Amino acid sequence: RNRLSRSRDFDAVYRHGRSVSTRFLVLYWFPREEGEEPRLGIAVPKGAGGAVVRSKIKRQLREVWRSRLESLPPAHDFVLIVRPGLVEGAEAKGFDWLGERVDEVLDHAELIVIGNDAPEFRQIAQRNGQVVIDLVRIKRTAENSGAYEGICW
């Protein structure tokens, strides 16, 4: 089901992972050693609304995330934290707007989004003079939408 459900999994991502934030979302991510599929945990604070509202935004975020699974690096755990204003914005502006907010935080994290095949990552990075040791973050350069720049961690 591609979900984080245990408290210890959330804690591992918070403690050892990296994070970025945008106006409406915070994203933590952490590469794990076993498993193939990316997993997602969602945290919605009580200030976002009652239980029904929190459950609804979690369902919507899971659906948006599910449509982006193919473009995420494999064997990673992710935690999305909802910030104030996301629930109201999603209600007023719709599901597509929510998808744009998720894309925004993924772009900010430079976690993209070519495919889950590690050799493909390596081939793209080597073609542009980059040496890839492990899975890398790949970002599209502004000047040439066909060129990629690899960043090792």
Side-chain angles (χ1 to χ4, degrees):
R1 290 176 25 159
N2 302 330
R3 288 192 196 176
L4 288 179
S5 56
R6 294 187 195 130
S7 177
R8 67 179 176 185
D9 293 335
F10 277 82
D11 289 342
V13 176
Y14 291 141
R15 287 190 184 133
H16 305 293
R18 302 183 63 181
S19 68
V20 295
S21 64
T22 60
R23 165 70 180 86
F24 296 105
L25 289 167
V26 178
L27 175 68
Y28 283 83
W29 71 96
F30 178 68
R32 60 182 198 280
E33 294 177 11
E34 73 266 350
E36 296 179 12
E37 296 289 322
R39 299 186 305 175
L40 173 67
I42 300 172
V44 183
K46 288 186 178 182
V52 173
V53 171
R54 294 193 315 269
S55 293
K56 180 179 179 181
I57 196 70
K58 284 195 272 188
R59 282 194 311 271
Q60 291 173 330
L61 285 169
R62 276 194 297 268
E63 183 61 32
V64 168
W65 195 262
R66 193 173 298 120
S67 69
R68 284 145 178 85
L69 275 178
E70 294 296 319
S71 62
L72 294 170
H76 278 64
D77 288 342
F78 298 91
V79 175
L80 272 177
I81 302 172
V82 172
R83 295 181 84 180
L86 183 77
V87 172
E88 295 81 5
E91 288 175 358
K93 298 175 183 168
F95 188 75
D96 291 335
W97 180 85
L98 185 62
E100 290 170 5
R101 301 296 67 82
V102 171
D103 291 339
E104 179 180 47
V105 77
L106 287 170
D107 288 344
H108 198 285
E110 298 174 353
L111 284 167
I112 324 211
V113 192
I114 299 164
N116 288 340
D117 190 12
E120 182 179 356
F121 279 92
R122 287 186 178 95
Q123 179 183 4
I124 289 170
Q126 289 171 355
R127 186 174 27 203
N128 288 294
Q130 297 290 326
V131 177
V132 178
I133 297 167
D134 196 1
L135 285 177
V136 295
R137 296 182 295 159
I138 304 285
K139 72 177 183 182
R140 203 176 282 259
T141 58
E143 303 82 37
N144 180 357
S145 62
Y148 293 90
E149 175 183 324
I151 305 167
C152 297
W153 349 301

